[in-house]
């Protein structure tokens, strides 16, 4: 078997290349999503439905801090992809070293106050009533492992930027499988309850980081940790920051959305509504894994070819990714519209939750067939280093449209209005993204001879 290199991103047929990049990414996301899904099923059945709500309260806080690693990873990987495409290996190594330094500095500096203010943070994110105590147990233990998770998320994007999607897939699978095994041992066998669920999660982060460190020390990587430049370089940091801010802003909006949704739904229906949202949220992570895989596979291909000025290949990559993504999203849509009751029953047998969750799930996924345009459009601008449009398009769906709608629509439709806000914001965001993407393709991705005509 021939060795895969970053140069393949500029030469292989787009359809074949996208599948080669997207399939491992999709499998990795699938396994990671299955981990979250099965973890929630274990917690719901072995600890109780309130434990599901407790984990849902903690996720936005822990994932926001960990998302610093993802933000630094994606921002830096955009630079790395373009640098490799332009044959600038020293810049790629400098960027990678700066990514490691930034990830450690920022995550550790946020974990410390996050632990200190635990009693204020958890209620603010909806951890009230019976949810508070299990949420606090889970939060404190998981936060210890967040710097490990951040380094994993950063390293995974760099592996993919090198054109090594299979290793990126392994990096996502190892902690997922490890978490499930530890869940069974610590919750089912030793009956440690929320403590077991939390230590299983933190332990899985350590396993992931061990694999990523091995990869960057092995012959499989073009970017060796031992060759990197760790001293921060201001121009590199600024470029990582401007592009990574897009991802961080998206995660900040996700965390804010969880905060608002948990509190709004708690006021409408207490723990039952928060649990219903937790189940729907898990399905948002799980069901769309093939579309997210296409998006992840798209990023290094678009970035490399844009850096190499192969604009025809960039256009073809955009269109192929949207076509594949829309097809897969349509399949997901049909499945979720037909079987929401069966899906809900996997998590809990609580009658109130079983009654409330299926109609909410149908509303939340109502616009699924069109989201590929929005996801690929926002990812394109990030891949080519255009931070401002990437930021705006990324914030459209969950920030600019969704947050105002969850305040406006409940005034007319009650709790139903909260669920309706999902497809309405998806529709508006897709329309705006399609406009900007079409304009970019027609103005800036024409062949050079056409543009100079």
């Amino acid at each position: 078997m021939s060795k895969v290199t970053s140069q393949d991103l500029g030469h292989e047929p787009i359809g074949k290349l996208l599948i080669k990049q997207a399939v491992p990414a999709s499998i990795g996301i699938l396994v990671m999503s299955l981990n979250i899904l099965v973890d929630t099923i274990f917690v719901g059945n072995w600890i109780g439905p309130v434990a599901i709500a407790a984990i849902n309260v903690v996720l936005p806080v822990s994932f926001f801090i960990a998302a610093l690693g993802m933000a630094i990873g994606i921002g830096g990987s955009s630079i790395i992809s373009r640098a490799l495409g332009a044959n600038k290996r020293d810049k790629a190594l400098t960027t990678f070293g700066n990514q490691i330094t930034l990830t450690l500095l920022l995550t550790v500096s946020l974990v410390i106050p996050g632990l200190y203010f635990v009693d204020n943070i958890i209620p603010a994110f909806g951890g009230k009533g019976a949810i508070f105590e299990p949420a606090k147990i889970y939060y404190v233990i998981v936060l210890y492992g967040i710097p490990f998770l951040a380094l994993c998320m950063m390293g995974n994007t760099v592996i993919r930027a090198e054109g090594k999607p299979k290793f990126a897939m392994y990096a996502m699978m190892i902690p997922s499988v490890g978490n499930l095994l530890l869940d069974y041992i610590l919750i089912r066998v030793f009956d440690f309850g929320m403590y077991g669920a939390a230590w299983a999660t933190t332990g899985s982060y350590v396993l992931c980081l061990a694999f990523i460190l091995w990869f960057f020390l092995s012959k499989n990587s073009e970017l060796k940790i031992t060759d990197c430049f760790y001293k921060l370089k201001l121009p590199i940091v600024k470029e990582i920051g401007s592009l990574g801010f897009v991802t961080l802003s998206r995660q900040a909006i996700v965390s804010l959305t969880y905060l608002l949704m948990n509190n709004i739904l708690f006021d409408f229906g207490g723990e039952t509504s928060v649990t219903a949202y937790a189940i729907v949220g898990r399905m948002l992570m799980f069901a769309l894994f093939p579309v997210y895989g296409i998006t992840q596979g798209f990023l290094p291909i678009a970035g490399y070819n844009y850096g190499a000025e192969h604009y025809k290949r960039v256009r073809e990559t955009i269109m192929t990714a949207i076509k594949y993504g829309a097809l897969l999203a349509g399949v997901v849509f049909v499945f979720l519209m037909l079987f929401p009751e069966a899906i809900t029953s996997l998590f809990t047998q609580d009658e109130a939750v079983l009654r409330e969750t299926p109609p909410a799930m149908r509303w939340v996924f109502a616009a699924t067939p069109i989201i590929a345009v929005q996801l690929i459009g926002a990812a394109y601008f990030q891949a080519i280093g255009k931070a401002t449009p990437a930021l705006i398009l990324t914030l459209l769906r969950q920030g600019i449209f969704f947050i105002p709608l969850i305040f406006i629509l409940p005034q007319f439709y009650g709790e139903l209005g909260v669920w309706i806000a999902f497809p309405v914001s998806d529709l508006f965001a897709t329309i705006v993204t399609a406009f900007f993407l079409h304009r970019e393709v027609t103005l800036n991705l024409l062949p050079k001879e056409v543009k100079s005509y």
Side-chain angles (χ1 to χ4, degrees), residues 344-396:
T344 305
S345 67
L346 294 173
F347 294 90
T348 181
Q349 297 303 312
D350 184 273
E351 291 185 6
V353 177
L354 288 170
R355 189 168 51 250
E356 181 167 340
T357 306
M361 194 177 296
R362 285 192 173 98
W363 276 111
V364 168
F365 287 94
T368 298
I370 64 173
I371 65 167
V373 173
Q374 208 276 326
L375 292 174
I376 298 299
Y380 164 75
F381 287 100
Q382 195 166 9
I384 66 169
K386 294 189 176 182
T388 300
L391 176 63
I392 294 171
L393 296 179
T394 296
L395 297 183
L396 278 178

Side-chain angles (χ1 to χ4, degrees), residues 71-98:
I72 293 166
I74 291 178
S77 294
S78 173
I79 302 171
I80 289 172
S81 290
R82 286 179 280 123
L84 292 173
N87 200 28
K88 298 178 180 178
R89 188 171 181 274
D90 282 348
K91 183 175 183 180
L93 285 169
T94 302
T95 302
F96 184 35
N98 277 220

Side-chain angles (χ1 to χ4, degrees), residues 23 102 121 152 158 160 180 194 217 247 258 323 326 329 347 449:
V23 169
L102 282 172
I121 291 172
C152 291
V158 176
R160 191 169 285 111
L180 295 182
M194 289 301 294
L217 289 170
T247 298
Y258 271 90
K323 181 174 67 176
F347 294 90
E449 60 271 15

Side-chain angles (χ1 to χ4, degrees), residues 395-418:
L395 297 183
L396 278 178
R397 186 181 175 204
Q398 286 190 302
I400 297 170
F401 293 128
F402 181 75
I403 290 178
L405 285 170
I406 61 174
F407 287 103
I408 295 169
L409 294 179
Q411 300 295 321
F412 302 96
Y413 303 106
E415 184 176 342
L416 176 62
V418 178

Side-chain angles (χ1 to χ4, degrees), residues 10-22:
H11 301 291
E12 287 195 7
I14 294 299
K16 178 182 176 182
L17 188 60
L18 187 59
I19 291 173
K20 183 186 290 187
Q21 292 287 324

